[in-house]
């Protein structure tokens, strides 16, 4: 077999030079008829890349998102026929199997592709490319169970990676920890993956601190910096994002990640046209780059260009069906277009991918509400509250539903929980709905003839501009009724009272400005 290698050496070396210059057709031409495994792989791979390059060039020329799907790599069918003959004859080595798998995936033959990649991993377990391809094809934990993977240390890296992708973060972090203990403690790859895992469960502080540590250890790293910039964006950290963008620009400005970081930087400064331009640039460099499609969709949304946004999100989903942000984005676009049935479908998909993300649940609830399926809506809001509501809106929406359905007791309970929630955060956020909650409770207690509680809530209403007048009016009414000798009703038991800290006795009568609640800290 070494003889074959030696015989092909001249042709192989010449072709490899052309290959490195990206002259793929030329490389393939000089490799025709070579027998060795290495030369055969380079021959087939050159033909494959030649087709991809032609496809990408055509794609860039017609940047209208619609034609994107129509451009095909013409070489794929021939390659599949030739490779499958070799495969049946068991003549493919690890790299040949990998290429065969890629061709099958490109032709949308997912089941066959998975089998071939598993085979490639058995033959050549240290080729990370085959493992990564597998990662992109496995959509849930069930599929993972049925794969017979080779027993090698690379399998651990693969499992940790796929757990991160499938949002099984606990398992992923355990795997990475055991790899670190096994001797990979200096691996910047592992550190970056742990940061990405924390980013996926929205533990933003933890992810930021790990990324900052990573930047100290590996200052010229460009991979994953787009994820880092997403975190800085979410936290609106302009100076840090600006520094990162300038820094990456100096290292290599023609990298996909760099373009994405700059796009995020412009987006944070609300220069959405410029941001979209940089995401487009990233996609010209790599059309299969997932993040840029999704982020470009967000930018088009900001520019109120819904049709372009829908195209962008669709491409993101074509690249990776697990991208919950793209599904969620599609839901939002159809919501703007007032098409609630479509919304429902897309939000559902987003929720399936992120079952514990309250934003998806609240969006789903709103959809059900529009479609007048109030029972479903209630379930969604309650679940959003149960999983930990990021935006603290689920209880208010739930309370308003109960109001609509004249379930005043449940509505009151929701508002009370909501107020307890807001006040227990310590930081009093300027929440518009706090006043709504107090107004409703004041009226509710008033109806129940619980004067003390009603006046406590009415006094709270006086602290907010939009409910001040109503609060004062209610206080006057209570005073009047008390003077007429209407006693507090005892026969109607209140469902439950405001937390003691908010009840009447220690609410100072002078008006408390809504932000300074030091006198009523729970």
């Amino acid at each position: 077999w070494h003889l074959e290698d030696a015989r092909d050496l001249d042709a192989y070396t010449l072709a490899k030079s052309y290959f490195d210059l990206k002259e793929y057709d030329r490389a393939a031409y000089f490799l025709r008829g070579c027998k060795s495994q290495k030369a055969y792989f380079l021959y087939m791979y050159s033909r494959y890349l030649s087709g991809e390059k032609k496809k990408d060039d055509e794609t860039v020329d017609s940047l209208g998102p619609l034609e994107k799907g129509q451009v095909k790599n013409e070489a794929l069918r021939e390659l599949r026929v030739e490779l499958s003959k070799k495969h049946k004859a068991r003549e493919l080595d690890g790299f040949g199997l990998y290429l065969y798998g890629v061709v099958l995936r490109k032709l949308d033959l997912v089941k066959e592709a998975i089998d071939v990649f598993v085979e490639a991993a058995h033959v050549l377990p240290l080729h990370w490319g085959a493992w990564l391809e597998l990662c992109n094809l496995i959509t849930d934990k069930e599929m993972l169970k049925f794969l017979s993977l080779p027993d090698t240390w690379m399998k651990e890296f693969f499992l940790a990676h796929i757990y991160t992708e499938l949002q099984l973060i606990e398992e992923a972090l355990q795997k990475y920890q055991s790899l670190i203990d096994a001797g990979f403690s200096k691996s910047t790859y592992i550190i970056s993956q742990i940061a990405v895992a924390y980013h996926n469960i929205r533990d933003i502080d933890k992810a930021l601190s790990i990324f900052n540590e990573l930047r100290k250890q590996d200052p010229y790293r460009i991979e994953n910096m787009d994820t880092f910039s997403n975190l800085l964006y979410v936290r609106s950290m302009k100076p840090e994002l600006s520094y990162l963008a300038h820094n990456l620009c100096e290292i290599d400005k023609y990298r996909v990640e760099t373009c994405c970081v700059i796009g995020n930087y412009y987006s944070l400064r609300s220069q959405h046209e410029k941001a979209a331009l940089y995401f487009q640039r990233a996609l010209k460099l790599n059309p299969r780059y997932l993040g840029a499609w999704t982020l470009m969709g967000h930018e088009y949304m900001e520019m109120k260009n819904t049709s372009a946004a829908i195209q962008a999100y669709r491409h993101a989903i074509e690249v990776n069906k697990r991208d919950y942000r793209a599904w969620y984005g599609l839901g939002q676009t159809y919501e703007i277009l007032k098409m609630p049935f479509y919304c429902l479908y897309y939000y559902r998909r987003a929720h399936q991918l992120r079952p514990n993300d309250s934003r998806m649940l609240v969006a789903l609830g709103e959809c059900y509400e529009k479609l007048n399926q109030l029972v479903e809506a209630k379930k969604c809001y309650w679940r959003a509250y149960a999983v930990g509501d990021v935006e603290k809106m689920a209880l208010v929406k739930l309370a308003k539903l109960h109001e609509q359905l004249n379930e005043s007791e449940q509505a009151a309970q929701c508002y009370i929980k909501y107020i307890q929630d807001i006040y227990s955060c310590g930081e009093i956020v300027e929440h518009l709905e706090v006043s709504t909650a107090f107004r409703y409770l004041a009226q509710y207690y008033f109806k129940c003839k619980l004067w003390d509680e009603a006046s406590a809530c009415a006094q709270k209403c006086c602290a907010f501009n939009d409910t001040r007048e109503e609060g004062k009016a209610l206080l006057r009414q209570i005073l009047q009724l008390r003077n007429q000798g209407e006693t507090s009703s005892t026969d109607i038991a209140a469902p439950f009272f405001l937390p003691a800290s908010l009840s009447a006795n220690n609410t100072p009568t002078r008006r408390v400005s809504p932000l300074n609640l030091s006198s009523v800290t729970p």
Side-chain angles (χ1 to χ4, degrees):
W1 116 265
H2 285 295
L3 243 175
E4 275 183 359
D5 265 2
R7 225 178 264 142
D8 290 345
L9 186 65
D10 288 350
Y12 175 80
T13 315
L14 178 63
K16 183 77 174 74
S17 317
Y18 290 140
F19 181 89
D20 293 339
L21 292 168
K22 298 197 165 128
E23 299 191 28
Y24 302 123
D25 289 334
R26 208 169 168 193
Y29 178 77
F30 284 99
L31 286 166
R32 290 160 321 164
C34 288
K35 294 282 181 286
S36 69
Q37 293 273 21
K38 242 181 175 175
Y40 178 72
F41 169 72
L42 194 65
Y43 169 61
M44 297 304 267
Y45 195 43
S46 299
R47 286 171 58 193
Y48 165 73
L49 283 178
S50 152
E52 282 297 290
K53 187 166 183 285
K54 290 182 180 118
K55 182 185 96 173
D56 285 347
D57 292 347
E58 260 180 71
T59 308
V60 170
D61 294 342
S62 63
L63 241 185
L66 266 176
E67 299 96 351
K68 276 249 155 80
Q70 274 71 44
V71 190
K72 292 272 187 293
N73 177 347
E74 297 301 333
L76 290 176
R77 289 221 162 71
E78 290 169 28
L79 288 173
R80 181 192 168 199
V81 172
E82 292 171 42
L83 284 164
S84 77
K85 274 182 198 150
K86 283 259 189 193
H87 185 228
K88 283 198 182 89
R90 303 217 155 276
E91 286 172 14
L92 289 177
D93 63 345
F95 291 108
L97 285 165
Y98 163 73
L99 181 60
Y100 183 35
V102 171
V103 169
L104 289 170
R105 169 174 69 71
K106 287 271 180 179
L107 291 167
D108 288 329
L109 301 164
V110 175
K111 222 165 146 316
E112 294 89 329
I114 289 178
D115 296 340
V116 173
F117 284 128
V118 170
E119 196 182 332
H122 276 278
V123 177
L124 195 71
L126 295 187
H127 178 212
W128 183 234
W131 292 105
L132 267 186
E133 285 290 340
L134 258 183
C135 268
N136 287 334
L137 295 175
I138 290 167
T139 46
D140 54 46
K141 209 173 174 180
E142 289 307 305
M143 282 171 82
L144 204 53
K145 279 184 193 150
F146 297 114
L147 295 185
S148 58
L149 298 167
D151 224 5
T152 137
W153 55 274
M154 274 309 255
K155 177 179 160 189
E156 298 302 303
F157 276 96
F158 163 73
L159 286 173
H161 187 94
I162 187 101
Y163 287 154
T164 311
E165 289 283 299
L166 294 174
Q167 309 291 337
L168 304 165
I169 305 297
E170 292 291 311
E171 291 94 322
L173 291 172
Q174 278 168 1
K175 284 268 180 233
Y176 283 129
Q177 195 48 54
S178 56
L179 284 166
I180 287 174
D181 299 340
F184 287 104
S185 58
K186 288 211 169 66
S187 157
T188 50
Y189 164 77
I190 290 184
I191 298 173
S192 73
Q193 283 297 105
I194 291 174
V196 169
Y198 279 117
H199 163 266
N200 285 3
I201 48 170
R202 314 289 297 167
D203 189 337
I204 296 175
D205 297 322
K206 189 97 186 188
L208 279 173
S209 73
I210 296 174
F211 269 122
N212 284 322
E213 186 50 44
L214 180 66
R215 296 261 299 156
K216 279 193 197 111
Q217 286 184 30
D218 190 356
Y220 293 96
R221 178 191 189 87
I222 291 186
E223 291 125 309
N224 309 103
M225 285 303 125
D226 45 344
T227 309
F228 183 33
S229 78
N230 288 342
L231 292 163
L232 294 172
Y233 179 90
V234 170
R235 276 284 149 95
S236 305
M237 298 164 89
K238 270 190 194 158
E240 289 87 342
L241 188 52
S242 162
Y243 175 74
L244 182 67
H246 286 299
N247 189 240
L248 293 185
C249 220
E250 277 166 25
I251 300 170
D252 182 354
K253 64 172 162 199
Y254 296 111
R255 274 283 288 273
V256 181
E257 291 90 343
T258 307
C259 293
C260 258
V261 172
I262 298 171
N264 270 339
Y265 168 66
Y266 281 125
S267 181
L268 191 55
R269 296 182 51 175
S270 300
Q271 294 174 287
H272 300 296
E273 285 83 0
K274 252 187 172 164
L277 192 78
Y278 272 95
F279 294 134
Q280 269 174 352
R281 193 176 285 185
L283 290 165
K284 280 186 181 175
L285 292 168
N286 175 9
R288 284 192 62 73
Y289 178 65
L290 169 79
W293 281 119
T294 310
L295 293 168
M296 196 155 86
H298 294 345
E299 294 313 304
Y300 283 133
M301 285 278 283
E302 293 287 345
M303 296 192 272
K304 307 270 187 291
N305 184 347
T306 37
S307 60
I310 289 173
Q311 295 295 353
Y313 289 136
R314 288 239 146 94
H315 282 294
I317 289 165
E318 267 167 44
V319 179
N320 179 357
K321 295 237 181 329
R322 285 194 306 266
D323 183 27
Y324 75 95
R325 291 169 313 174
W327 292 106
Y328 184 63
L330 276 170
Q332 285 180 308
T333 3
Y334 283 111
E335 199 170 318
I336 289 174
L337 296 171
K338 300 209 170 18
M339 298 163 87
F341 280 106
Y342 279 31
C343 274
L344 197 59
Y345 170 73
Y346 292 116
Y347 283 143
R348 256 201 206 127
R349 293 295 295 259
H351 167 59
Q352 280 160 3
L353 293 166
R354 304 269 303 202
N356 290 336
D357 195 322
S358 64
R359 294 165 305 166
M360 317 297 147
L361 282 158
V362 170
L364 258 179
E366 286 173 346
C367 248
Y368 280 125
E369 219 177 307
K370 287 197 184 96
L371 295 167
N372 226 358
Q373 300 183 19
L374 301 184
V375 181
E376 295 297 322
K378 278 201 268 191
K379 279 184 202 155
C380 290
Y381 292 143
W382 183 247
R383 177 114 182 83
Y385 169 66
V387 295
D389 184 13
V390 193
E391 283 148 354
K392 299 248 183 290
M393 284 307 290
L395 281 174
V396 175
K397 292 186 182 296
L398 189 56
K400 287 186 173 164
L401 268 185
H402 284 308
E403 259 185 81
Q404 268 179 33
L405 299 166
N406 290 329
E407 300 167 350
S408 52
E409 206 162 299
Q410 287 94 321
Q413 297 204 13
C414 288
Y415 278 131
I416 289 172
K417 275 206 188 77
Y418 167 70
I419 290 170
Q420 285 170 329
D421 248 25
I422 294 290
Y423 281 75
S424 65
C425 289
E427 48 182 293
I428 296 300
V429 216
E430 274 282 314
H431 263 270
L432 298 172
E433 300 293 344
V434 175
S435 56
T436 319
F438 278 127
R439 180 197 337 180
Y440 184 81
L441 286 172
Q443 286 163 351
Y444 171 74
Y445 286 133
F446 184 75
K447 278 191 201 113
C448 295
K449 301 195 174 177
L450 295 158
W451 310 132
D452 294 350
E453 289 75 19
S455 62
C457 291
Q459 274 173 351
K460 283 274 175 231
C461 288
C462 294
F464 299 94
N465 288 334
D466 51 341
T467 52
R468 184 168 303 141
E469 293 315 310
E470 288 176 64
K472 284 181 183 165
L474 202 63
L475 281 172
R476 281 197 294 276
Q477 268 176 301
I478 294 170
L479 251 174
Q480 243 174 341
L481 289 169
R482 274 194 165 156
N483 293 344
Q484 288 166 17
E486 284 241 11
T487 47
S488 259
S489 146
T490 43
D491 48 319
I492 305 173
F496 54 86
F497 299 113
L498 272 179
S501 59
L502 297 176
S503 67
N505 49 18
N506 64 356
T507 306
T509 38
R510 62 189 170 74
R511 233 185 58 231
V512 186
S513 68
L515 277 172
N516 172 21
L517 280 159
S518 49
S519 50
V520 278
T521 33

